[in-house]
Amino acid sequence: MQAPRDFWHFEKDISGCGVFGVIDRARRLIPGSEPIAAMCTMHDRGNGLGGGFAAYGIYPDRADWYAFHLMCDDRDALERAEGVIKQFHDIRHSEPIPTRKVASVKNPPVVWRFFVTPKANRPAWATGDEADYMVGTVMHINTKVPGVFVFSSGKDMGAFKGVGFPEDIADFFRLDEYHAHMWTGHNRFPTNTPGWWGGAHPFTLLDWAIVHNGEISSYGINKRYLCQHGYECTLMTDTEVVAYLIDLLIRKHGLTKREASWVFAPPFWDEVDRMPEAEREAFKALRMVYGSALLNGPFAILVTDSHGMMGLNDRVKLRPLVVAEKGDRVFMSSEESSIREVCRDLDRVWAPKAGQPVIVDYLPQGDAA
């Protein structure tokens, strides 16, 4: 049979896991059906042991409140978590996360969301700013409250993830009913870590969300480094360290996203040696200070927050990453086919170089093209 004239020919690059992201820089809303369709195109990159999405701009009426998404073993665990949250925060609204029954999603946990603000009178031990206080709450619940994990904790955003293919998880969480101005999606093919609800991507903290294709072989070193700064890794998946490292380097230490990318995927030493002196000394300083935050192993990651999206490959590009533009929208994905599924007429398509970040920020309010 002859293919139709508009048939697109793409070669699959099967390298485990699929990532997708789309941002409308003018903050126009994108229906959930688009990232779901894009992830369906990469169905064969996963094995049904993990799928998930992150969406920004989904709670406009509660945008000033932190949205805690919880997964709990049972109602007793949920009650324990609620008791802890009430100690440290004012609960503005509480409800089950809307779901529907999906035959392929087996034994889901209790999923709940609390919209909270930190109490005005905080405990004497609480040091740092409001963001530190929120991080402390997340770490406390995830390490001290049995049977409960906070899997999303930002403002006007949320993560939705679990065991299943992405389209199954999207159906379970009714993501076709949501609209957001930025989405990421993930299809998981776990290799050396378990496939379980908390271990699915995205990994989040505050408004950071990370999806990742590859393997962080420096996980042990990264984890020990994070423990020294008050971050506890409890979700048994290597990607968790990326979310906490991003928070540490950018929010707490004040690095830019570009500088953080140089920590994660630094130039090789022979390249550093050829740099002008000032640049050479800067890269040496980053390696000396943040050597334990370097990410070893093959990876392509998408990092999102309330300011925009960043895509980054490892230093030798062992995992695929494609970027495309159409007007104010920017797409990043493991495969061009997933982008073409939702936007065939693109202005520009390219593959970033190894270790070179692609950073896309929202336009200033009122500057839509």
Side-chain angles (χ1 to χ4, degrees), residues 5 20 28 53 58-59 61 77 79 98 106 108 110 143 159 161 175 187 201 203 214-215 268 312 321 369:
R5 185 172 297 178
F20 175 82
R28 300 182 187 92
F53 298 81
I58 57 174
Y59 299 131
D61 296 335
E79 290 180 7
K106 309 292 186 183
V110 176
T143 58
K161 65 180 187 177
L175 296 187
N187 190 9
H201 301 216
F203 288 89
E215 179 182 351
F268 290 100
L312 179 68
L321 183 64

Side-chain angles (χ1 to χ4, degrees), residues 278-297:
E279 191 176 350
R280 181 171 64 248
E281 292 305 312
F283 275 98
K284 285 183 177 179
L286 283 174
R287 288 295 295 273
M288 286 188 288
V289 175
Y290 293 114
S292 295
L294 182 149
L295 300 180
N296 272 329

